[in-house]
Amino acid sequence: MTELIPKPRGVVATTGEVRLAAHSRLHARTGTQGVGHWLSTALRQATGLPLREGRELDDAGDGIVLQLDPGLGPEEYRLVSDWNGVLIEGGSAAGVFWGAQTLRQLLGPDAYRRAPIRRDRAWAVPYLTIEDAPRFRWRGLMLDVARHFMPKEGVLRSLDLMAAHKLNVFHFHLTDDQGWRIQIERHPRLTETGSWRARTKTGHGASPLWDEKPHGGYYTQDDIREIVAYAAERHITVVPEIDVPGHSQAAIAAYPELGNTDVIDTNALSVWDTWGINPNVLAPTDNTLRFYEGVFEEVLELFPSEFVHVGGDECPKDQWRRSATAQARIRELGLADEDELQSWFIGHFDSWLSARGRRLIGWDEILQGGLADGAAVSSWRGYAGGIAAARAGHDVVMCPEQQVYLDHRQDPGPDEPVPIGWVRTLEDVYRFEPVPPELTPEEARHVLGTQANVWTEVMEDHARVDYQTFPRLAAFAEVAWSALPAPAERDFADFERRMTAHYRRLDALGIAYRPPAGPLPWQRRPGVPGRPKDGPPPSR
Ligand code: TNX
């Protein structure tokens, strides 16, 4: 049962086990009540045990105690299972929460079920001591809900899956050319018009196809508040992304005056129904700035996170080159070119966010034309942007597409459902190193951490998202949390051995992961695996 993922810093095992029973109690001391509530709910669902709130460890030695230990780092925890019961201590409630996640793994895969399958089974925690702490403070997952909308329940489920893997930053990609997914009260057409597209490109290559089926959806501000609160209970910070000045066709379709009206007829634009880099970008006008300040004002009220992501990626400059308005702006500001105009645009929101006590983060294109003072960078086009930013003293989140883009295929085989050619296998992800050797230790301190990105052009529902995300997210979680050696020295065989236990957990969670061997989910023949015809009736 100690096949833990992500691998903890240190485990010392002895013989014996704590057996949870009907009279076992859970006691959450000062500052850990929220974790206690989460843990008792999760374990009650799975085990059917009452786990009543207790005062202290029982004489029986089968209770669970949660408490803070100010001597530990903020996300650090210690889990001791011995004749006294199970004690989880953390430097903060977050540390205790990660310890509670470890406890769930120690209880076995059935601890991930939503209802007990067998009443008579024992729930045991082996005697051991675990000392553990994360390598990085930013252990992120980015989910693109713009290309394909994911209903709120799916987002909450993703947060649960992140928590189970000790990931703590949810980068919520809320807007793009293909859809605007967050209600903004002062600009209602962003969702009325911007959240729906009439059809979606499905085919690839020379002869694209469209499905002729409307697609859309958005989160109300109440939904967003619920998502943020749900994440907070799981010690996950939600970083919202509102993409500017590129990836904005959905917004322009809703409010045509946001586009370069002197270059194209923006009234003719609708929410984009295909993929790729879109030429229709925001006009660099005062009207656009005021409009988006209004958007960000509402965003700041909904999301308490220190960082706010403003996109900044893939902004073709062609319309700005042809626009008299954009050119006048370049002259008026004394800028050299369109790249500097993009920097000015991002710089405006950097100061605007800083004045409100927040920090801007953007994709590495925001380096072009000069990086705004306090800005942090999501390095996606390899490491180069991250290296340049760290050297210039900016904070960085490493998420190079060559390693941690989970929309890329995970196997070269012809049956892989993804039309993207690049292969990023489970082992590739496991051998991903977020801190490139080029950085000095001083510069490396600017690497806040790392993030896996799930772009959903080819994922129309959460089963496809599961398939692309798992099992690779388990490897990614270990890279983000555990103190692994250099890539070549990593023990992938040991990781695979632990994955055998982890697949059972993913099964219990109902995740449609890519199986390590055997037929892919849609290739299973009816009647082969599954419940035997004359098997026992399901237990109640
Ligand atoms: C590049 S990563 C993009 C996304 C796409 C992704 C597909 C980034 C900042 N931009 O818009 O969805 O590639 O892999």
Side-chain angles (χ1 to χ4, degrees):
M1 284 308 162
T2 49
E3 288 123 344
L4 300 169
I5 287 185
K7 190 185 176 72
R9 292 259 156 118
V11 181
V12 180
T14 55
T15 41
E17 58 186 24
V18 173
R19 291 190 150 235
L20 298 183
H23 60 266
S24 298
R25 287 162 190 268
L26 186 141
H27 180 48
R29 294 213 170 106
T30 313
T32 68
Q33 286 90 347
V35 185
H37 177 71
W38 177 86
L39 182 63
S40 61
T41 309
L43 294 188
R44 265 179 213 144
Q45 280 177 30
T47 65
L49 295 172
L51 288 170
R52 274 172 301 121
E53 282 280 299
R55 297 264 89 219
E56 293 301 325
L57 283 182
D58 295 329
D59 292 342
D62 59 10
I64 301 169
V65 171
L66 311 179
Q67 69 182 20
L68 299 180
D69 174 352
L72 299 175
E75 291 194 281
E76 189 176 358
Y77 72 90
R78 182 188 307 115
L79 187 157
V80 181
S81 163
D82 62 16
W83 51 90
N84 291 311
V86 177
L87 172 65
I88 303 174
E89 296 172 291
S92 70
V96 178
F97 184 72
W98 306 128
Q101 294 297 338
T102 298
L103 173 61
R104 202 178 184 190
Q105 294 202 350
L106 291 169
L107 284 165
D110 289 344
Y112 286 89
R113 299 183 61 94
R114 251 176 298 173
I117 25 170
R118 276 176 42 199
R119 289 278 175 202
D120 57 344
R121 63 150 296 167
W123 294 95
V125 185
Y127 282 180
L128 45 64
T129 298
I130 296 177
E131 313 251 4
D132 201 8
R135 179 177 175 199
F136 293 109
R137 73 167 164 106
W138 184 301
R139 304 180 301 279
L141 174 69
M142 190 221 72
L143 184 64
D144 167 14
V145 294
R147 272 54 178 274
H148 281 100
F149 178 64
M150 183 184 278
K152 180 186 72 188
E153 294 70 22
V155 174
L156 301 181
R157 175 178 178 272
S158 300
L159 293 167
D160 281 325
L161 302 182
M162 286 179 68
H165 292 83
K166 299 190 172 76
L167 300 177
N168 70 341
V169 178
F170 180 59
H171 173 167
F172 206 8
H173 184 79
L174 285 162
T175 71
D176 217 304
D177 301 305
Q178 296 85 357
W180 183 284
R181 306 292 176 214
I182 175 175
Q183 177 190 18
I184 299 296
E185 284 173 354
R186 73 190 75 186
H187 303 308
R189 294 210 308 272
L190 285 172
T191 44
E192 282 165 16
T193 303
S195 74
W196 284 89
R197 59 177 183 261
R199 58 178 198 169
T200 299
K201 185 184 174 190
T202 58
H204 280 260
S207 49
L209 295 168
W210 278 266
D211 63 4
E212 305 305 338
K213 177 168 83 182
H215 175 90
Y218 68 90
Y219 310 103
T220 64
Q221 296 206 347
D222 279 344
D223 291 339
I224 296 281
R225 277 186 276 269
E226 190 179 338
I227 289 167
V228 169
Y230 195 88
E233 275 171 34
R234 284 148 188 79
H235 298 275
I236 296 171
T237 301
V238 185
V239 173
E241 181 184 353
I242 304 292
D243 211 329
V244 296
H247 287 281
S248 302
Q249 183 164 318
I252 301 169
Y255 292 94
E257 64 273 23
L258 295 173
N260 294 290
T261 51
D262 59 348
V263 179
I264 58 154
D265 176 11
T266 54
N267 286 302
L269 289 179
S270 46
V271 177
W272 213 22
D273 58 10
T274 187
W275 316 119
I277 300 179
N278 187 315
N280 300 309
V281 305
L282 297 176
T285 60
D286 289 339
N287 172 61
T288 305
L289 297 182
R290 299 293 93 75
F291 183 97
Y292 273 88
E293 285 168 2
V295 170
F296 281 115
E297 258 169 44
E298 294 188 29
V299 165
L300 295 196
E301 269 178 34
L302 294 166
F303 297 91
S305 71
E306 178 188 12
F307 283 100
V308 174
H309 209 292
V310 301
D313 57 315
E314 298 177 330
C315 176
K317 308 292 181 327
D318 185 56
Q319 289 185 355
W320 288 355
R321 256 176 236 120
R322 293 192 285 135
S323 157
T325 313
Q327 291 303 318
R329 180 116 268 188
I330 288 177
R331 278 193 305 278
E332 162 205 327
L333 294 166
L335 303 174
D337 56 18
E338 293 75 20
D339 280 347
E340 288 195 4
L341 188 58
Q342 151 129 347
S343 288
W344 165 81
F345 197 101
I346 299 293
H348 175 83
F349 287 102
D350 182 55
S351 330
W352 191 92
L353 287 168
S354 300
R356 285 155 186 80
R358 307 297 183 101
R359 290 179 65 193
L360 177 144
I361 183 163
W363 301 109
D364 57 53
E365 287 92 332
I366 67 172
L367 285 157
Q368 294 161 0
L371 192 54
D373 283 349
V377 167
S378 305
S379 187
W380 75 276
R381 297 174 305 166
Y383 290 105
I387 292 172
R391 287 194 173 143
H394 292 267
D395 287 340
V396 172
V397 174
M398 285 292 185
C399 48
E401 62 173 341
Q402 292 80 357
Q403 275 97 351
V404 288
Y405 267 39
L406 302 186
D407 53 331
H408 298 178
R409 58 169 53 217
Q410 42 205 327
D411 187 272
D415 296 328
E416 208 52 38
V418 171
I420 297 173
W422 301 296
V423 181
R424 323 294 183 201
T425 65
L426 182 63
E427 183 164 359
D428 293 338
V429 174
Y430 193 67
R431 295 193 193 281
F432 163 57
E433 173 47 49
V435 179
E438 290 91 328
L439 294 181
T440 65
E442 175 68 22
E443 292 162 351
R445 281 217 293 272
H446 286 295
V447 180
L448 300 177
T450 178
Q451 155 178 315
N453 293 342
V454 179
W455 299 102
T456 57
E457 289 95 329
V458 296
M459 297 171 225
E460 65 273 21
D461 56 32
H462 89 222
R464 285 300 168 111
V465 171
D466 275 6
Y467 180 88
Q468 288 303 113
T469 307
F470 293 97
R472 291 183 294 185
L473 196 70
F476 173 77
E478 189 146 309
V479 167
W481 177 280
S482 309
L484 295 179
E489 275 111 66
R490 289 184 191 168
D491 191 346
F492 184 64
D494 171 68
F495 173 75
E496 278 189 306
R497 185 186 59 75
R498 284 178 288 119
M499 276 306 287
T500 315
H502 202 64
Y503 284 118
R504 301 289 78 76
R505 298 180 194 125
L506 303 183
D507 286 333
L509 283 163
I511 298 177
Y513 57 83
R514 183 181 200 283
L520 301 179
W522 52 90
Q523 295 170 327
R524 288 191 193 120
R525 304 278 178 279
V528 182
R531 179 143 42 91
K533 256 207 194 115
D534 303 311
S539 63
R540 230 146 302 178

